[in-house]
């Protein structure tokens, strides 16, 4: 199941981090979930899913979950909280990045005094063949920007 991108790039403005609490998505069987928006459809992502997320102080993920095929990367942009991975609880804060493997139970919360914003990226575990300079094509082309 693969999708081809339909154009050279796609761009989406998600607004300021302070507005992410107003984002939402419809979760079948769970109604409208506030403070979370998935980007795959709007950006026509073909190899990963990304969500933008905002939790107010005291908010917690209401359910535990794990993933069958996808590892997840949590990138914390502001605030602080805790994650609980297979029963181990640890603190997270702005600037922290956490990878969670497939088949591993997870839950997290904002136990700080500030809004906690974070990104979650899902990507198929074991799918990365090459990256960085190993995947880059660098033409001999002068850098030029419109004035
Ligand atoms: Zn997940």
């Amino acid at each position: 199941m693969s999708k081809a991108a339909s154009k050279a790039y796609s761009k989406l403005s998600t607004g300021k981090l302070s507005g992410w609490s107003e984002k939402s998505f419809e979760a079948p069987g769970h109604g409208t979930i506030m403070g979370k928006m998935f980007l795959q459809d709007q950006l026509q992502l073909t190899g990963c899913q990304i969500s933008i997320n905002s939790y107010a102080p005291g908010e917690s993920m209401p359910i535990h979950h794990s993933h069958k095929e996808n590892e997840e990367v949590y990138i914390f942009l502001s605030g602080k909280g805790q994650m609980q991975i297979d029963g181990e609880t640890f603190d997270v804060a702005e600037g922290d990045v956490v990878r969670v493997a497939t088949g591993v139970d997870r839950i997290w919360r904002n136990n700080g005094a500030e809004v906690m914003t974070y990104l979650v990226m899902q990507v198929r575990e074991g799918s990365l063949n090459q990256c960085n300079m190993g995947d880059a094509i660098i033409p001999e082309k002068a850098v030029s920007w419109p004035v």
Side-chain angles (χ1 to χ4, degrees), residues 71-92:
E71 65 187 14
E72 280 188 322
V73 181
Y74 294 75
I75 305 168
F76 293 93
L77 303 176
S78 69
K80 62 181 185 178
Q82 290 184 314
M83 293 191 85
Q84 196 175 94
I85 309 291
D86 265 356
E88 180 184 342
T89 301
F90 56 92
D91 293 334
V92 292

Side-chain angles (χ1 to χ4, degrees), residues 36 38 61 65-67 70 72 74 106 108 120 122:
K36 184 176 194 73
F38 288 106
M61 181 70 178
H65 80 285
S66 63
H67 281 273
N70 298 336
E72 280 188 322
Y74 294 75
R106 73 208 63 184
W108 58 96
V120 183
Q122 278 183 44

Side-chain angles (χ1 to χ4, degrees), residues 65-130:
H65 80 285
S66 63
H67 281 273
K68 292 180 259 184
E69 295 187 356
N70 298 336
E71 65 187 14
E72 280 188 322
V73 181
Y74 294 75
I75 305 168
F76 293 93
L77 303 176
S78 69
K80 62 181 185 178
Q82 290 184 314
M83 293 191 85
Q84 196 175 94
I85 309 291
D86 265 356
E88 180 184 342
T89 301
F90 56 92
D91 293 334
V92 292
E94 177 178 335
D96 288 351
V97 181
V98 179
R99 174 197 174 258
V100 185
T102 55
V104 176
D105 179 75
R106 73 208 63 184
I107 197 163
W108 58 96
R109 67 175 179 169
N110 177 354
N111 65 345
E114 310 289 329
V115 171
M116 184 173 82
T117 55
Y118 57 99
L119 304 170
V120 183
M121 180 181 296
Q122 278 183 44
V123 62
R124 183 182 210 121
E125 194 170 66
S127 67
L128 190 62
N129 293 322
Q130 59 186 2

